[in-house]
Amino acid sequence: MIISLISQKGGVGKSALARLLAVEIAKSGWTVKIADLDPAQGTSTKWKGRRDQAVLQPDIAVEKFRTVERALKEADRYDLLILDGPAHAERGGRDMAAASDLVLLPTGYSLDDMEPQIEAAYELEDGGVAPDRLLFVFCRAKGSDAEDRVARAYLKKARMTVLTPVFPELASIRQAHAEGRAASEVPFSKVQDKVVAVVQAIVDRAGAMAEVT
Ligand SMILES: Nc1ncnc2c1ncn2[C@@H]1O[C@H](COP(=O)(O)OP(=O)(O)O)[C@@H](O)[C@H]1O
Ligand SMILES: [Mg+2]
């Protein structure tokens, strides 16, 4: 299975979601690799370094790739390959999406965050990616229920599908990241439950998509 994370803007939470998915799905017994396609930042690769230093389990394979094509060669060797893309992934984004069972488009609640992601989604659709493979996820989310409702309504109007659980922005998650952990590896069970719900909903969707491939 291949899941990709794509965004127009940087800092929306792609790499955070990549490591959350990787850790939780690896815990369920799958072999998982994160392809770090953002060599300028190398966020996932640096996180892997901290994770190794802290000797955390499960061990997650992370490797930098300069091209999507090279990363895709790993797909047969793992149960799940996660393509952690760069910002402004115009061309590469299409290649990533075309090869993926599911494409995650992280966004915040602001119009400034949603608009470029909607544009990215339309471009992928124009490039031949099936709309039902595109899934918006509210990431680094902090805001009221009212704000959540307004943002969902906006994306719905743009014909976008949005994951029900949100990936909240929390200091404890920032701290976990600094220690080489994923958001599900914070010491607070309420936070764990919230972010595991995000993974479960994504896995359900990815499973449904993989079946129709
Ligand atoms: N849910 C979260 N809670 C707290 N901090 C987060 C969360 N998600 C991401 N971050 C932090 O926000 C910054 C940008 O996130 P990142 O995943 O690197 O974005 P991207 O990969 O889209 O550029 C990083 O410093 C990361 O640790
Ligand atoms: Mg990143």
Side-chain angles (χ1 to χ4, degrees):
M1 181 181 285
I2 303 177
I3 296 178
S4 56
L5 293 121
I6 292 178
S7 74
Q8 269 302 322
K9 293 177 64 168
V12 294
K14 294 181 299 294
S15 298
L17 188 51
R19 62 186 67 155
L20 169 63
L21 287 168
V23 165
E24 286 308 303
I25 293 171
K27 276 206 262 174
S28 79
W30 281 29
T31 58
V32 181
K33 181 168 203 165
I34 299 175
D36 186 349
L37 288 159
D38 193 356
Q41 302 292 330
T43 313
S44 288
T45 310
K46 287 175 191 154
W47 170 79
K48 160 75 170 163
R50 298 196 293 277
R51 189 170 182 84
D52 284 351
Q53 201 136 41
V55 202
L56 295 169
Q57 291 294 328
D59 182 34
I60 306 296
V62 181
E63 190 178 345
K64 269 190 206 183
F65 292 95
R66 277 191 297 111
T67 66
V68 176
E69 195 187 357
R70 286 190 195 177
L72 289 175
K73 296 211 170 99
E74 297 292 305
D76 290 343
R77 301 178 50 216
Y78 292 86
D79 297 320
L80 174 65
L81 179 67
I82 298 173
L83 304 176
D84 181 15
H88 309 292
E90 280 93 9
R91 273 200 70 107
R94 191 181 305 175
D95 295 342
M96 285 168 66
S100 296
D101 296 290
L102 188 64
V103 179
L104 301 175
L105 297 148
T107 181
Y109 285 139
S110 74
L111 200 60
D112 293 331
D113 283 349
M114 289 189 289
E115 278 189 327
Q117 281 300 62
I118 292 169
E119 282 302 315
Y122 288 159
E123 272 175 33
L124 292 174
E125 288 179 14
D126 287 347
V129 178
D132 61 358
R133 292 194 187 274
L134 304 177
L135 182 60
F136 278 65
V137 184
F138 288 122
C139 287
R140 305 190 68 183
K142 43 179 185 196
S144 62
D145 290 349
E147 200 175 6
D148 185 277
R149 274 197 302 277
V150 170
R152 278 179 203 277
Y154 187 80
L155 290 175
K156 193 176 171 191
K157 215 172 148 192
R159 295 187 291 97
M160 297 300 140
T161 307
V162 190
L163 198 76
T164 301
V166 307
F167 189 176
E169 163 124 15
L170 294 166
S172 59
I173 294 176
R174 254 191 307 280
Q175 182 59 33
H177 289 165
E179 295 167 355
R181 296 173 193 273
S184 55
E185 296 173 311
V186 298
F188 308 113
S189 62
K190 265 193 181 165
V191 178
Q192 290 171 6
D193 291 349
K194 269 201 160 181
V195 299
V196 165
V198 170
V199 176
Q200 191 55 58
I202 290 171
V203 165
D204 289 349
R205 181 87 183 173
M209 287 300 116
E211 264 176 33
V212 298
T213 302

PDB file of all heavy atoms in Angstrom, residues 35-66:
ATOM      1  N   ALA A  35       9.355   7.510   2.923  1.00  0.00           N
ATOM      2  CA  ALA A  35      10.253   8.088   1.925  1.00  0.00           C
ATOM      3  C   ALA A  35      10.237   9.594   2.135  1.00  0.00           C
ATOM      4  O   ALA A  35       9.208  10.247   1.944  1.00  0.00           O
ATOM      5  CB  ALA A  35       9.786   7.727   0.516  1.00  0.00           C
ATOM      6  N   ASP A  36      11.370  10.131   2.550  1.00  0.00           N
ATOM      7  CA  ASP A  36      11.499  11.564   2.816  1.00  0.00           C
ATOM      8  C   ASP A  36      11.815  12.253   1.487  1.00  0.00           C
ATOM      9  O   ASP A  36      12.948  12.221   1.013  1.00  0.00           O
ATOM     10  CB  ASP A  36      12.609  11.795   3.845  1.00  0.00           C
ATOM     11  CG  ASP A  36      12.709  13.250   4.293  1.00  0.00           C
ATOM     12  OD1 ASP A  36      12.067  14.107   3.664  1.00  0.00           O
ATOM     13  OD2 ASP A  36      13.427  13.507   5.275  1.00  0.00           O
ATOM     14  N   LEU A  37      10.784  12.860   0.900  1.00  0.00           N
ATOM     15  CA  LEU A  37      10.946  13.495  -0.416  1.00  0.00           C
ATOM     16  C   LEU A  37      11.145  14.998  -0.298  1.00  0.00           C
ATOM     17  O   LEU A  37      10.956  15.736  -1.262  1.00  0.00           O
ATOM     18  CB  LEU A  37       9.735  13.162  -1.293  1.00  0.00           C
ATOM     19  CG  LEU A  37       9.731  11.704  -1.762  1.00  0.00           C
ATOM     20  CD1 LEU A  37       8.348  11.253  -2.175  1.00  0.00           C
ATOM     21  CD2 LEU A  37      10.703  11.515  -2.920  1.00  0.00           C
ATOM     22  N   ASP A  38      11.477  15.433   0.901  1.00  0.00           N
ATOM     23  CA  ASP A  38      11.741  16.852   1.148  1.00  0.00           C
ATOM     24  C   ASP A  38      13.183  16.991   1.638  1.00  0.00           C
ATOM     25  O   ASP A  38      13.433  17.298   2.799  1.00  0.00           O
ATOM     26  CB  ASP A  38      10.754  17.372   2.209  1.00  0.00           C
ATOM     27  CG  ASP A  38      10.733  18.888   2.298  1.00  0.00           C
ATOM     28  OD1 ASP A  38      11.530  19.541   1.594  1.00  0.00           O
ATOM     29  OD2 ASP A  38       9.917  19.417   3.073  1.00  0.00           O
ATOM     30  N   PRO A  39      14.144  16.730   0.711  1.00  0.00           N
ATOM     31  CA  PRO A  39      15.550  16.693   1.140  1.00  0.00           C
ATOM     32  C   PRO A  39      16.038  18.033   1.679  1.00  0.00           C
ATOM     33  O   PRO A  39      16.926  18.079   2.523  1.00  0.00           O
ATOM     34  CB  PRO A  39      16.311  16.281  -0.125  1.00  0.00           C
ATOM     35  CG  PRO A  39      15.376  16.500  -1.255  1.00  0.00           C
ATOM     36  CD  PRO A  39      13.984  16.453  -0.722  1.00  0.00           C
ATOM     37  N   ALA A  40      15.426  19.134   1.218  1.00  0.00           N
ATOM     38  CA  ALA A  40      15.830  20.454   1.718  1.00  0.00           C
ATOM     39  C   ALA A  40      15.588  20.542   3.222  1.00  0.00           C
ATOM     40  O   ALA A  40      16.402  21.104   3.957  1.00  0.00           O
ATOM     41  CB  ALA A  40      15.069  21.548   0.985  1.00  0.00           C
ATOM     42  N   GLN A  41      14.485  19.994   3.675  1.00  0.00           N
ATOM     43  CA  GLN A  41      14.166  20.018   5.106  1.00  0.00           C
ATOM     44  C   GLN A  41      14.696  18.765   5.809  1.00  0.00           C
ATOM     45  O   GLN A  41      15.233  18.847   6.905  1.00  0.00           O
ATOM     46  CB  GLN A  41      12.644  20.096   5.317  1.00  0.00           C
ATOM     47  CG  GLN A  41      11.976  21.292   4.665  1.00  0.00           C
ATOM     48  CD  GLN A  41      12.380  22.604   5.309  1.00  0.00           C
ATOM     49  OE1 GLN A  41      12.677  22.648   6.499  1.00  0.00           O
ATOM     50  NE2 GLN A  41      12.415  23.662   4.529  1.00  0.00           N
ATOM     51  N   GLY A  42      14.501  17.608   5.176  1.00  0.00           N
ATOM     52  CA  GLY A  42      14.942  16.349   5.788  1.00  0.00           C
ATOM     53  C   GLY A  42      14.294  16.088   7.137  1.00  0.00           C
ATOM     54  O   GLY A  42      14.865  15.431   8.004  1.00  0.00           O
ATOM     55  N   THR A  43      13.057  16.591   7.306  1.00  0.00           N
ATOM     56  CA  THR A  43      12.384  16.521   8.613  1.00  0.00           C
ATOM     57  C   THR A  43      12.257  15.084   9.108  1.00  0.00           C
ATOM     58  O   THR A  43      12.539  14.788  10.267  1.00  0.00           O
ATOM     59  CB  THR A  43      10.974  17.145   8.519  1.00  0.00           C
ATOM     60  OG1 THR A  43      11.071  18.392   7.849  1.00  0.00           O
ATOM     61  CG2 THR A  43      10.361  17.346   9.886  1.00  0.00           C
ATOM     62  N   SER A  44      11.805  14.208   8.219  1.00  0.00           N
ATOM     63  CA  SER A  44      11.577  12.819   8.640  1.00  0.00           C
ATOM     64  C   SER A  44      12.892  12.122   8.952  1.00  0.00           C
ATOM     65  O   SER A  44      12.985  11.336   9.899  1.00  0.00           O
ATOM     66  CB  SER A  44      10.821  12.056   7.536  1.00  0.00           C
ATOM     67  OG  SER A  44       9.483  12.499   7.490  1.00  0.00           O
ATOM     68  N   THR A  45      13.909  12.427   8.142  1.00  0.00           N
ATOM     69  CA  THR A  45      15.210  11.792   8.341  1.00  0.00           C
ATOM     70  C   THR A  45      15.828  12.219   9.679  1.00  0.00           C
ATOM     71  O   THR A  45      16.378  11.398  10.416  1.00  0.00           O
ATOM     72  CB  THR A  45      16.151  12.160   7.173  1.00  0.00           C
ATOM     73  OG1 THR A  45      15.455  11.906   5.947  1.00  0.00           O
ATOM     74  CG2 THR A  45      17.415  11.348   7.194  1.00  0.00           C
ATOM     75  N   LYS A  46      15.698  13.503   9.994  1.00  0.00           N
ATOM     76  CA  LYS A  46      16.240  13.995  11.271  1.00  0.00           C
ATOM     77  C   LYS A  46      15.474  13.392  12.453  1.00  0.00           C
ATOM     78  O   LYS A  46      16.057  13.043  13.481  1.00  0.00           O
ATOM     79  CB  LYS A  46      16.167  15.525  11.327  1.00  0.00           C
ATOM     80  CG  LYS A  46      17.199  16.186  10.432  1.00  0.00           C
ATOM     81  CD  LYS A  46      17.011  17.690  10.434  1.00  0.00           C
ATOM     82  CE  LYS A  46      17.847  18.337   9.334  1.00  0.00           C
ATOM     83  NZ  LYS A  46      17.265  19.625   8.890  1.00  0.00           N
ATOM     84  N   TRP A  47      14.171  13.272  12.301  1.00  0.00           N
ATOM     85  CA  TRP A  47      13.342  12.660  13.348  1.00  0.00           C
ATOM     86  C   TRP A  47      13.776  11.217  13.584  1.00  0.00           C
ATOM     87  O   TRP A  47      13.885  10.755  14.723  1.00  0.00           O
ATOM     88  CB  TRP A  47      11.869  12.739  12.933  1.00  0.00           C
ATOM     89  CG  TRP A  47      10.933  11.952  13.805  1.00  0.00           C
ATOM     90  CD1 TRP A  47      10.455  12.330  15.023  1.00  0.00           C
ATOM     91  CD2 TRP A  47      10.374  10.670  13.525  1.00  0.00           C
ATOM     92  NE1 TRP A  47       9.621  11.351  15.523  1.00  0.00           N
ATOM     93  CE2 TRP A  47       9.555  10.319  14.622  1.00  0.00           C
ATOM     94  CE3 TRP A  47      10.477   9.775  12.453  1.00  0.00           C
ATOM     95  CZ2 TRP A  47       8.844   9.119  14.674  1.00  0.00           C
ATOM     96  CZ3 TRP A  47       9.779   8.583  12.503  1.00  0.00           C
ATOM     97  CH2 TRP A  47       8.964   8.268  13.617  1.00  0.00           C
ATOM     98  N   LYS A  48      14.048  10.507  12.473  1.00  0.00           N
ATOM     99  CA  LYS A  48      14.510   9.115  12.556  1.00  0.00           C
ATOM    100  C   LYS A  48      15.823   9.032  13.340  1.00  0.00           C
ATOM    101  O   LYS A  48      16.037   8.118  14.150  1.00  0.00           O
ATOM    102  CB  LYS A  48      14.657   8.573  11.131  1.00  0.00           C
ATOM    103  CG  LYS A  48      15.548   7.367  10.964  1.00  0.00           C
ATOM    104  CD  LYS A  48      14.910   6.116  11.452  1.00  0.00           C
ATOM    105  CE  LYS A  48      15.740   4.897  11.039  1.00  0.00           C
ATOM    106  NZ  LYS A  48      15.378   3.722  11.813  1.00  0.00           N
ATOM    107  N   GLY A  49      16.685  10.005  13.130  1.00  0.00           N
ATOM    108  CA  GLY A  49      17.948  10.060  13.867  1.00  0.00           C
ATOM    109  C   GLY A  49      17.703  10.176  15.364  1.00  0.00           C
ATOM    110  O   GLY A  49      18.332   9.474  16.167  1.00  0.00           O
ATOM    111  N   ARG A  50      16.759  11.040  15.733  1.00  0.00           N
ATOM    112  CA  ARG A  50      16.448  11.212  17.170  1.00  0.00           C
ATOM    113  C   ARG A  50      15.800   9.945  17.723  1.00  0.00           C
ATOM    114  O   ARG A  50      16.061   9.538  18.853  1.00  0.00           O
ATOM    115  CB  ARG A  50      15.509  12.413  17.372  1.00  0.00           C
ATOM    116  CG  ARG A  50      16.090  13.738  16.936  1.00  0.00           C
ATOM    117  CD  ARG A  50      15.308  14.921  17.501  1.00  0.00           C
ATOM    118  NE  ARG A  50      13.953  15.067  17.002  1.00  0.00           N
ATOM    119  CZ  ARG A  50      13.603  15.664  15.863  1.00  0.00           C
ATOM    120  NH1 ARG A  50      14.535  16.152  15.060  1.00  0.00           N
ATOM    121  NH2 ARG A  50      12.333  15.762  15.495  1.00  0.00           N
ATOM    122  N   ARG A  51      14.973   9.311  16.900  1.00  0.00           N
ATOM    123  CA  ARG A  51      14.287   8.086  17.324  1.00  0.00           C
ATOM    124  C   ARG A  51      15.308   6.963  17.584  1.00  0.00           C
ATOM    125  O   ARG A  51      15.200   6.237  18.566  1.00  0.00           O
ATOM    126  CB  ARG A  51      13.268   7.659  16.252  1.00  0.00           C
ATOM    127  CG  ARG A  51      12.356   6.524  16.687  1.00  0.00           C
ATOM    128  CD  ARG A  51      11.216   6.286  15.713  1.00  0.00           C
ATOM    129  NE  ARG A  51      10.354   5.221  16.197  1.00  0.00           N
ATOM    130  CZ  ARG A  51       9.373   5.394  17.068  1.00  0.00           C
ATOM    131  NH1 ARG A  51       9.079   6.586  17.519  1.00  0.00           N
ATOM    132  NH2 ARG A  51       8.649   4.368  17.490  1.00  0.00           N
ATOM    133  N   ASP A  52      16.267   6.842  16.684  1.00  0.00           N
ATOM    134  CA  ASP A  52      17.305   5.819  16.846  1.00  0.00           C
ATOM    135  C   ASP A  52      18.131   6.084  18.103  1.00  0.00           C
ATOM    136  O   ASP A  52      18.444   5.158  18.854  1.00  0.00           O
ATOM    137  CB  ASP A  52      18.231   5.800  15.625  1.00  0.00           C
ATOM    138  CG  ASP A  52      17.576   5.115  14.435  1.00  0.00           C
ATOM    139  OD1 ASP A  52      16.494   4.511  14.620  1.00  0.00           O
ATOM    140  OD2 ASP A  52      18.129   5.190  13.328  1.00  0.00           O
ATOM    141  N   GLN A  53      18.457   7.354  18.304  1.00  0.00           N
ATOM    142  CA  GLN A  53      19.268   7.720  19.465  1.00  0.00           C
ATOM    143  C   GLN A  53      18.547   7.368  20.774  1.00  0.00           C
ATOM    144  O   GLN A  53      19.162   6.931  21.734  1.00  0.00           O
ATOM    145  CB  GLN A  53      19.541   9.215  19.433  1.00  0.00           C
ATOM    146  CG  GLN A  53      20.736   9.639  20.262  1.00  0.00           C
ATOM    147  CD  GLN A  53      21.582  10.645  19.491  1.00  0.00           C
ATOM    148  OE1 GLN A  53      21.048  11.534  18.828  1.00  0.00           O
ATOM    149  NE2 GLN A  53      22.891  10.498  19.556  1.00  0.00           N
ATOM    150  N   ALA A  54      17.230   7.519  20.770  1.00  0.00           N
ATOM    151  CA  ALA A  54      16.431   7.219  21.966  1.00  0.00           C
ATOM    152  C   ALA A  54      16.060   5.725  22.040  1.00  0.00           C
ATOM    153  O   ALA A  54      15.400   5.292  22.981  1.00  0.00           O
ATOM    154  CB  ALA A  54      15.174   8.075  21.973  1.00  0.00           C
ATOM    155  N   VAL A  55      16.482   4.954  21.023  1.00  0.00           N
ATOM    156  CA  VAL A  55      16.225   3.506  20.939  1.00  0.00           C
ATOM    157  C   VAL A  55      14.738   3.188  21.140  1.00  0.00           C
ATOM    158  O   VAL A  55      14.363   2.364  21.988  1.00  0.00           O
ATOM    159  CB  VAL A  55      17.092   2.698  21.949  1.00  0.00           C
ATOM    160  CG1 VAL A  55      17.226   1.249  21.483  1.00  0.00           C
ATOM    161  CG2 VAL A  55      18.471   3.289  22.132  1.00  0.00           C
ATOM    162  N   LEU A  56      13.911   3.844  20.349  1.00  0.00           N
ATOM    163  CA  LEU A  56      12.464   3.637  20.462  1.00  0.00           C
ATOM    164  C   LEU A  56      11.986   2.550  19.514  1.00  0.00           C
ATOM    165  O   LEU A  56      12.510   2.390  18.414  1.00  0.00           O
ATOM    166  CB  LEU A  56      11.729   4.950  20.157  1.00  0.00           C
ATOM    167  CG  LEU A  56      11.970   6.088  21.154  1.00  0.00           C
ATOM    168  CD1 LEU A  56      11.429   7.397  20.619  1.00  0.00           C
ATOM    169  CD2 LEU A  56      11.330   5.753  22.490  1.00  0.00           C
ATOM    170  N   GLN A  57      10.975   1.825  19.970  1.00  0.00           N
ATOM    171  CA  GLN A  57      10.322   0.785  19.166  1.00  0.00           C
ATOM    172  C   GLN A  57       8.892   1.212  18.862  1.00  0.00           C
ATOM    173  O   GLN A  57       8.278   1.855  19.716  1.00  0.00           O
ATOM    174  CB  GLN A  57      10.315  -0.552  19.922  1.00  0.00           C
ATOM    175  CG  GLN A  57      11.687  -1.169  20.084  1.00  0.00           C
ATOM    176  CD  GLN A  57      12.312  -1.594  18.761  1.00  0.00           C
ATOM    177  OE1 GLN A  57      11.609  -1.978  17.841  1.00  0.00           O
ATOM    178  NE2 GLN A  57      13.621  -1.488  18.667  1.00  0.00           N
ATOM    179  N   PRO A  58       8.310   0.848  17.732  1.00  0.00           N
ATOM    180  CA  PRO A  58       8.945   0.095  16.655  1.00  0.00           C
ATOM    181  C   PRO A  58       9.950   0.951  15.879  1.00  0.00           C
ATOM    182  O   PRO A  58       9.822   2.163  15.818  1.00  0.00           O
ATOM    183  CB  PRO A  58       7.756  -0.282  15.765  1.00  0.00           C
ATOM    184  CG  PRO A  58       6.751   0.794  15.992  1.00  0.00           C
ATOM    185  CD  PRO A  58       6.904   1.191  17.424  1.00  0.00           C
ATOM    186  N   ASP A  59      10.889   0.227  15.297  1.00  0.00           N
ATOM    187  CA  ASP A  59      11.885   0.851  14.438  1.00  0.00           C
ATOM    188  C   ASP A  59      11.211   1.207  13.110  1.00  0.00           C
ATOM    189  O   ASP A  59      10.557   0.365  12.511  1.00  0.00           O
ATOM    190  CB  ASP A  59      13.025  -0.155  14.222  1.00  0.00           C
ATOM    191  CG  ASP A  59      14.141   0.427  13.378  1.00  0.00           C
ATOM    192  OD1 ASP A  59      14.397   1.636  13.484  1.00  0.00           O
ATOM    193  OD2 ASP A  59      14.737  -0.331  12.600  1.00  0.00           O
ATOM    194  N   ILE A  60      11.346   2.446  12.699  1.00  0.00           N
ATOM    195  CA  ILE A  60      10.718   2.879  11.445  1.00  0.00           C
ATOM    196  C   ILE A  60      11.805   3.155  10.402  1.00  0.00           C
ATOM    197  O   ILE A  60      12.737   3.917  10.675  1.00  0.00           O
ATOM    198  CB  ILE A  60       9.893   4.183  11.655  1.00  0.00           C
ATOM    199  CG1 ILE A  60       8.872   4.023  12.785  1.00  0.00           C
ATOM    200  CG2 ILE A  60       9.221   4.614  10.355  1.00  0.00           C
ATOM    201  CD1 ILE A  60       7.795   2.996  12.538  1.00  0.00           C
ATOM    202  N   ALA A  61      11.677   2.540   9.236  1.00  0.00           N
ATOM    203  CA  ALA A  61      12.626   2.813   8.161  1.00  0.00           C
ATOM    204  C   ALA A  61      12.308   4.174   7.552  1.00  0.00           C
ATOM    205  O   ALA A  61      11.152   4.472   7.250  1.00  0.00           O
ATOM    206  CB  ALA A  61      12.532   1.720   7.092  1.00  0.00           C
ATOM    207  N   VAL A  62      13.338   5.005   7.425  1.00  0.00           N
ATOM    208  CA  VAL A  62      13.182   6.316   6.778  1.00  0.00           C
ATOM    209  C   VAL A  62      14.354   6.485   5.827  1.00  0.00           C
ATOM    210  O   VAL A  62      15.494   6.198   6.194  1.00  0.00           O
ATOM    211  CB  VAL A  62      13.198   7.479   7.793  1.00  0.00           C
ATOM    212  CG1 VAL A  62      12.997   8.813   7.077  1.00  0.00           C
ATOM    213  CG2 VAL A  62      12.132   7.299   8.872  1.00  0.00           C
ATOM    214  N   GLU A  63      14.068   6.923   4.603  1.00  0.00           N
ATOM    215  CA  GLU A  63      15.154   7.177   3.665  1.00  0.00           C
ATOM    216  C   GLU A  63      14.817   8.389   2.805  1.00  0.00           C
ATOM    217  O   GLU A  63      13.669   8.589   2.432  1.00  0.00           O
ATOM    218  CB  GLU A  63      15.375   5.940   2.767  1.00  0.00           C
ATOM    219  CG  GLU A  63      16.637   6.025   1.931  1.00  0.00           C
ATOM    220  CD  GLU A  63      16.867   4.770   1.067  1.00  0.00           C
ATOM    221  OE1 GLU A  63      16.229   3.725   1.316  1.00  0.00           O
ATOM    222  OE2 GLU A  63      17.676   4.857   0.134  1.00  0.00           O
ATOM    223  N   LYS A  64      15.857   9.188   2.551  1.00  0.00           N
ATOM    224  CA  LYS A  64      15.696  10.345   1.664  1.00  0.00           C
ATOM    225  C   LYS A  64      15.749   9.908   0.206  1.00  0.00           C
ATOM    226  O   LYS A  64      16.592   9.069  -0.155  1.00  0.00           O
ATOM    227  CB  LYS A  64      16.872  11.313   1.868  1.00  0.00           C
ATOM    228  CG  LYS A  64      16.642  12.375   2.897  1.00  0.00           C
ATOM    229  CD  LYS A  64      17.765  13.407   2.817  1.00  0.00           C
ATOM    230  CE  LYS A  64      17.927  14.084   4.154  1.00  0.00           C
ATOM    231  NZ  LYS A  64      18.937  15.141   4.144  1.00  0.00           N
ATOM    232  N   PHE A  65      14.898  10.468  -0.603  1.00  0.00           N
ATOM    233  CA  PHE A  65      14.945  10.200  -2.047  1.00  0.00           C
ATOM    234  C   PHE A  65      14.876  11.521  -2.784  1.00  0.00           C
ATOM    235  O   PHE A  65      14.116  12.409  -2.395  1.00  0.00           O
ATOM    236  CB  PHE A  65      13.775   9.308  -2.474  1.00  0.00           C
ATOM    237  CG  PHE A  65      13.853   7.918  -1.940  1.00  0.00           C
ATOM    238  CD1 PHE A  65      13.194   7.580  -0.768  1.00  0.00           C
ATOM    239  CD2 PHE A  65      14.604   6.953  -2.582  1.00  0.00           C
ATOM    240  CE1 PHE A  65      13.278   6.294  -0.248  1.00  0.00           C
ATOM    241  CE2 PHE A  65      14.697   5.666  -2.069  1.00  0.00           C
ATOM    242  CZ  PHE A  65      14.021   5.329  -0.905  1.00  0.00           C
ATOM    243  N   ARG A  66      15.646  11.618  -3.862  1.00  0.00           N
ATOM    244  CA  ARG A  66      15.616  12.850  -4.644  1.00  0.00           C
ATOM    245  C   ARG A  66      14.468  12.846  -5.647  1.00  0.00           C
ATOM    246  O   ARG A  66      14.009  13.884  -6.071  1.00  0.00           O
ATOM    247  CB  ARG A  66      16.961  13.082  -5.342  1.00  0.00           C
ATOM    248  CG  ARG A  66      17.980  13.742  -4.423  1.00  0.00           C
ATOM    249  CD  ARG A  66      19.206  14.204  -5.174  1.00  0.00           C
ATOM    250  NE  ARG A  66      19.927  13.076  -5.765  1.00  0.00           N
ATOM    251  CZ  ARG A  66      20.001  12.834  -7.057  1.00  0.00           C
ATOM    252  NH1 ARG A  66      19.398  13.625  -7.916  1.00  0.00           N
ATOM    253  NH2 ARG A  66      20.670  11.798  -7.498  1.00  0.00           N
TER     254      ARG A  66
END
